Amino acid sequence: IAMTMRSFFRLTKQHARSPKNHAAASATSIGHRAMSTTHSSSNSGDPLSPSAAGSSAHALRHKMEEHNKSINQRRTCLSTKLAHAGLSSSHGDTESSSNYNAPLSPPIELATTYERNPSGDYGDGDIYSRSCNPTRRLLEKALGQLEMSFVNYPPSSSSSSTEDTTAPTYAFSSGMAAVASLLLACKSPVKLLLPRDVYHGVPTQLHSSLKDHGVAHESVDMTNCNEIQQKIKENIESDGTLVVWIETPSNPLCQVTDIQAVCDAVQELRSQNNETFRILTVVDSTWAPPCITLPLSLGADAVLHSGTKYLGGHSDVLLGVVSCSPLTENGHWLAERLNAVQTSVGAVASPLECWLTLRGLRTLHLRVERQCQTSMKLAEYLNGHKDVVKCHYPGLDSHPQHEVAKRQMIGPQNKSMYGGMLSFEVESESWAMAVAGAVRVIRRATSLGGTETLIEHRASIEPPERRTSPLGLLRLSVGLEDVEDLQHDLEIAFEVASQVMMSNK
């Protein structure tokens, strides 16, 4: 074994003589010296046992990493981070490391309170689950790292790994609890600029629970940067917070906002503004999870997800999450205040919901990739169907923001991933309800992002006084079924709906 290792190092040295292999040559040299040290401390006459070989290899890898920090500077791919969500990234330095024999599925910590030191000091330990829970902390760390994937941001000088670059992240009991907590963290008076097409729960919360607390809002076309800048100028005050609320793709018309363009436009106005009035850019990226879009890398101050949807991914989680940018001054400001709101208000995600979301993250990239592929095929089918008036999907060339989507929804390998959500319009509300009533493989339900494909008539669940969805619109959340089964189900549903509508003429 020793002779084979020495031959390997000689071959690797020869391969590493070229300049582009300098780092590999350096690592090989370190490894050769470390291996020599290991062998000099053992009896060279005895064969190397399997257990000694494993221990020596582990020690050798550790020494190589200690002496050549560039080994750890390679950024881990997003899919690998997702597959390891909730796992420790440390492999220990010695045989007695506590990470050995550690569970490969993180435990659910249900305790609400923790014993206090006899001295009266808790130290750095946990105190009470409203302010600190180990399972929630694992989820927040995992999501914070995911949101910073591929962001060109150097690690701290004391760290040897880019994995330490984490966005401050806070998990809440639902997506709407995350929305309310974020707004509570803003300095009053607060005003939101909302997209004209937006999830109806946000304006409903503003019209009801937050109406009497001085939170104002108005709508703007979030695909038009000139209109956004004009609205911001009209709403600049001497004090308070203006939140530019971006939802992309939008619910349910799948409009795509150019996040970077909006953030650049906002930054231009910030530089002309006084320091006591803040303009925040917040992106609701529920329809474009981290394996599709990374809003913090495009300049946003914060990104929000309803973890109930794609992050959990199995229709069994109720959770919301906000990640604040460590790259912007507003992101740092918001993180400090949001942490205080999470602790004091206490609308925190439960340990079980956090654990289920961690489990969901491990397959997020695989699920979303399949959902994107199926959605593209269904969108093409619906776009050419004789009974469909219009199909809304960012992947279609006819979509008004298709070029923006091509730049922004690119996935971990820079491949276009246009999401698992689409909507289509038929002739009337009755037509839409007939199509929805005739499906069998597809299920009639609200929510989205699960393994099952869902269809919903949006206008019938929106408040009548604030209805924005066209009456003939149906929204599809595409699951993991075979695309042929889904297309066949829709084809029969269209035939049935046609007969129903013809029989009443």
Side-chain angles (χ1 to χ4, degrees):
I1 295 172
M3 289 175 64
T4 302
M5 288 290 290
R6 282 194 283 270
S7 298
F8 167 77
F9 279 118
R10 282 199 299 272
L11 289 171
T12 310
K13 278 183 174 180
Q14 293 171 7
H15 173 70
R17 284 173 182 164
S18 65
K20 74 175 184 177
N21 290 316
H22 175 73
S26 175
T28 301
S29 175
I30 300 299
H32 186 73
R33 291 198 301 272
M35 191 187 73
S36 299
T37 302
T38 302
H39 282 299
S40 66
S41 62
S42 63
N43 186 346
S44 59
D46 296 334
L48 192 64
S49 69
S51 61
S55 298
S56 296
H58 181 84
L60 174 58
R61 174 67 182 260
H62 179 65
K63 288 181 181 294
M64 291 168 65
E65 292 171 343
E66 268 192 333
H67 289 87
N68 188 353
K69 302 299 185 185
S70 64
I71 294 176
N72 280 346
Q73 289 295 320
R74 181 185 178 277
R75 191 176 293 278
T76 303
C77 294
L78 183 65
S79 56
T80 302
K81 287 184 178 182
L82 285 165
H84 291 184
L87 295 183
S88 169
S89 59
S90 170
H91 296 282
D93 303 337
T94 68
E95 289 287 355
S96 62
S97 170
S98 61
N99 199 53
Y100 298 128
N101 300 109
L104 291 181
S105 177
I108 305 175
E109 177 63 79
L110 296 175
T112 56
T113 191
Y114 300 84
E115 187 171 5
R116 194 171 183 176
N117 191 293
S119 67
D121 184 15
Y122 276 105
D124 295 328
D126 294 327
I127 300 173
Y128 189 63
S129 62
R130 174 161 47 82
S131 58
C132 46
N133 174 269
T135 311
R136 189 172 78 239
R137 193 159 52 233
L138 281 176
L139 174 63
E140 291 173 341
K141 180 180 179 182
L143 287 170
Q145 289 180 342
L146 291 175
E147 293 294 353
M148 294 302 292
S149 296
F150 309 121
V151 176
N152 186 21
Y153 183 66
S156 63
S157 57
S158 60
S159 169
S160 61
S161 171
T162 53
E163 305 306 319
D164 287 341
T165 305
T166 304
T169 299
Y170 307 95
F172 298 92
S173 55
S174 70
M176 292 312 300
V179 173
S181 297
L182 189 151
L183 296 178
L184 283 173
C186 294
K187 187 178 180 181
S188 184
V190 179
K191 184 166 187 177
L192 279 77
L193 292 184
L194 289 178
R196 293 205 174 104
D197 185 52
V198 66
Y199 167 54
H200 76 86
V202 176
T204 296
Q205 185 183 83
L206 296 173
H207 276 278
S208 56
S209 303
L210 298 178
K211 181 180 180 181
D212 295 330
H213 296 277
V215 180
H217 70 280
E218 64 177 290
S219 298
V220 62
D221 181 0
M222 279 293 167
T223 66
N224 187 330
C225 283
N226 291 331
E227 183 177 335
I228 294 168
Q229 281 194 315
Q230 183 58 40
K231 285 289 184 182
I232 292 173
K233 290 177 182 177
E234 293 173 4
N235 285 281
I236 289 178
E237 304 287 346
S238 59
D239 200 10
T241 311
L242 179 66
V243 181
V244 180
W245 192 272
I246 301 168
E247 181 182 280
T248 183
S250 67
N251 183 358
L253 295 178
C254 300
Q255 294 178 353
V256 179
T257 298
D258 189 332
I259 298 172
Q260 186 163 8
V262 172
C263 290
D264 288 346
V266 170
Q267 183 57 36
E268 184 180 330
L269 291 175
R270 278 192 191 126
S271 61
Q272 307 168 14
N273 189 40
N274 64 73
E275 296 183 359
T276 60
F277 183 75
R278 290 186 180 271
I279 309 172
L280 297 181
T281 50
V282 177
V283 178
D284 182 342
S285 197
T286 296
W287 282 25
C291 50
I292 295 181
T293 303
L294 295 167
L296 302 188
S297 71
L298 302 173
D301 295 317
V303 55
L304 179 143
H305 291 274
S306 172
T308 306
K309 314 306 192 290
Y310 286 102
L311 302 186
H314 293 79
S315 303
D316 56 8
V317 166
L318 188 64
L319 181 141
V321 63
V322 179
S323 295
C324 303
S325 176
L327 307 178
T328 69
E329 194 275 332
N330 275 339
H332 285 281
W333 176 84
L334 182 62
E336 183 177 343
R337 296 172 69 94
L338 196 56
N339 181 49
V341 169
Q342 185 192 48
T343 301
S344 60
V345 175
V348 295
S350 77
L352 177 59
E353 309 288 328
C354 292
W355 186 90
L356 288 170
T357 306
L358 278 168
R359 183 201 62 180
L361 288 180
R362 294 189 177 192
T363 58
L364 176 65
H365 54 300
L366 299 175
R367 289 185 284 108
V368 168
E369 185 174 356
R370 171 66 177 265
Q371 288 162 321
C372 289
Q373 292 169 354
T374 304
S375 295
M376 187 72 245
K377 293 176 182 178
L378 288 179
E380 290 171 344
Y381 159 73
L382 290 166
N383 199 45
H385 198 282
K386 62 181 179 63
D387 294 324
V388 174
V389 176
K390 191 172 185 178
C391 182
H392 305 276
Y393 186 65
L396 295 173
D397 291 340
S398 57
H399 189 281
Q401 294 92 39
H402 177 64
E403 291 303 315
V404 176
K406 283 172 65 176
R407 298 194 310 271
Q408 187 167 282
M409 305 175 74
I410 57 175
Q413 297 175 328
N414 290 330
K415 296 189 302 183
S416 296
M417 297 176 68
Y418 298 112
M421 298 297 301
L422 60 95
S423 60
F424 62 95
E425 296 178 48
V426 291
E427 182 179 319
S428 66
E429 184 175 11
S430 295
W431 247 101
M433 294 298 283
V435 172
V439 295
R440 287 297 178 267
V441 177
I442 300 169
R443 303 305 176 101
R444 292 176 296 277
T446 194
S447 198
L448 57 103
T451 60
E452 63 287 322
T453 297
L454 305 178
I455 193 167
E456 183 176 39
H457 181 253
R458 291 298 293 173
S460 59
I461 68 163
E462 294 175 350
E465 67 277 11
R466 292 189 301 280
R467 184 176 292 155
T468 59
S469 297
L471 292 177
L473 181 138
L474 290 167
R475 190 187 74 179
L476 276 182
S477 167
V478 178
L480 302 182
E481 303 93 340
D482 191 285
V483 65
E484 292 185 5
D485 291 334
L486 296 173
Q487 187 169 319
H488 179 68
D489 194 32
L490 285 169
E491 189 63 41
I492 294 177
F494 279 119
E495 290 178 11
V496 171
S498 178
Q499 292 183 32
V500 169
M501 297 305 294
M502 289 295 292
S503 66
N504 284 276
K505 283 190 176 180

